[in-house]
Amino acid sequence: DTGVSQDPRHKITKRGQNVTFRCDPISEHNRLYWYRQTLGQGPEFLTYFQNEAQLEKSRLLSDRFSAERPKGSFSTLEIQRTEQGDSAMYLCASSPLVGYTFGSGTRLTVV
Amino acid sequence: SQQGEEDPQALSIQEGENATMNCSYKTSINNLQWYRQNSGRGLVHLILIRSNEREKHSGRLRVTLDTSKKSSSLLITASRAADTASYFCATVILIQGAQKLVFGQGTRLTINP
């Protein structure tokens, strides 16, 4: 387990479809984060898990977004009824307490 | 929302020259971090400077922090083509037992061979 894995790397979907992304953190990291990055911008915080508990959610996470970390290991981020504005890079990161390790991200394109 | 501004937004220099990127932020901080992002990839942590530190070095990287001006700078000395990437500063907000990163908009650095 050498890093944070995200799957898929790229996803193209039609507007209105649902998509789900997966993140596998570093196994000994109990903290997991999701960020969203649009073109030319820095990443923006979406949500945070400590073990299986979702402890913080951004206003950016509308009702169409849901994230889970059912057993405190991998996490999924689902977007329902995708819109063109959802097109972005979705980044996952994990950490022990201090210091993040980011995955390579999932690039979502909504057409 | 973004924490602050990074300056310049884009920088293009010749290999071997030094590159300086600046970051300003708005709130009090515990620490400030710099990350690098190659095109279409995730972010790689470069260096962390705590609020009680003024300068920190790591290899060819030098980071300064001025809490009175709420600003930081990243200097890359003797740049290489492989340094071409986007560089982001991030401040840390403590949330429920963890650290939320608040990023600037980044500086796109291009090193010309």
Side-chain angles (χ1 to χ4, degrees):
Chain A
D1 190 0
T2 57
V4 178
S5 299
Q6 291 190 246
D7 183 68
R9 289 293 312 280
H10 303 276
K11 178 72 177 178
I12 300 174
T13 190
K14 292 184 178 179
R15 192 173 50 188
Q17 298 292 305
N18 299 344
V19 294
T20 300
F21 312 138
R22 177 180 170 122
C23 171
D24 286 273
I26 293 173
S27 57
E28 57 266 31
H29 289 179
N30 62 349
R31 293 166 173 81
L32 185 148
Y33 308 81
W34 286 98
Y35 285 75
R36 182 174 72 184
Q37 185 179 23
T38 53
L39 204 61
Q41 301 293 313
E44 293 181 289
F45 172 83
L46 290 179
T47 190
Y48 152 64
F49 290 85
Q50 185 167 345
N51 300 311
E52 66 276 7
Q54 187 174 20
L55 297 184
E56 186 91 4
K57 288 172 62 173
S58 163
R59 294 193 308 268
L60 295 175
L61 219 62
S62 73
D63 291 344
R64 297 184 298 105
F65 288 70
S66 62
E68 294 183 342
R69 194 182 183 196
K71 297 182 181 178
S73 56
F74 73 92
S75 175
T76 58
L77 177 67
E78 181 183 16
I79 309 174
Q80 296 182 326
R81 304 181 303 282
T82 52
E83 302 172 355
Q84 286 190 317
D86 297 331
S87 293
M89 175 81 87
Y90 290 84
L91 294 161
C92 175
S94 68
S95 78
L97 175 58
V98 178
Y100 276 47
T101 302
F102 278 89
S104 295
T106 294
R107 178 164 297 285
L108 173 66
T109 303
V110 181
V111 297
Chain B
S1 62
Q2 302 292 319
Q3 166 69 294
E5 302 278 328
E6 283 174 85
D7 170 53
Q9 290 191 357
L11 179 61
S12 180
I13 61 174
Q14 294 300 120
E15 195 167 20
E17 294 180 340
N18 296 342
T20 300
M21 290 159 273
N22 303 297
C23 163
S24 62
Y25 58 91
K26 297 175 182 174
T27 62
S28 297
I29 60 169
N30 177 271
N31 66 69
L32 184 143
Q33 302 176 27
W34 285 88
Y35 286 81
R36 183 184 73 203
Q37 184 178 37
N38 288 69
S39 180
R41 307 289 295 184
L43 288 92
V44 174
H45 180 262
L46 294 176
I47 196 166
L48 178 154
I49 186 165
R50 301 187 191 284
S51 59
N52 62 352
E53 297 176 309
R54 292 296 167 259
E55 187 171 311
K56 200 162 184 180
H57 297 254
S58 176
R60 293 184 297 112
L61 305 180
R62 173 181 166 245
V63 169
T64 63
L65 179 65
D66 186 335
T67 53
S68 67
K69 295 181 180 178
K70 290 187 168 54
S71 67
S72 175
S73 68
L74 171 68
L75 168 68
I76 303 174
T77 60
S79 63
R80 305 167 182 170
D83 295 328
T84 294
S86 290
Y87 291 82
F88 296 90
C89 69
T91 55
V92 174
I93 295 176
L94 298 179
I95 55 168
Q96 303 202 53
Q99 299 189 345
K100 178 172 75 174
L101 298 178
V102 183
F103 289 89
Q105 292 182 319
T107 294
R108 293 188 312 278
L109 176 64
T110 302
I111 308 299
N112 302 303

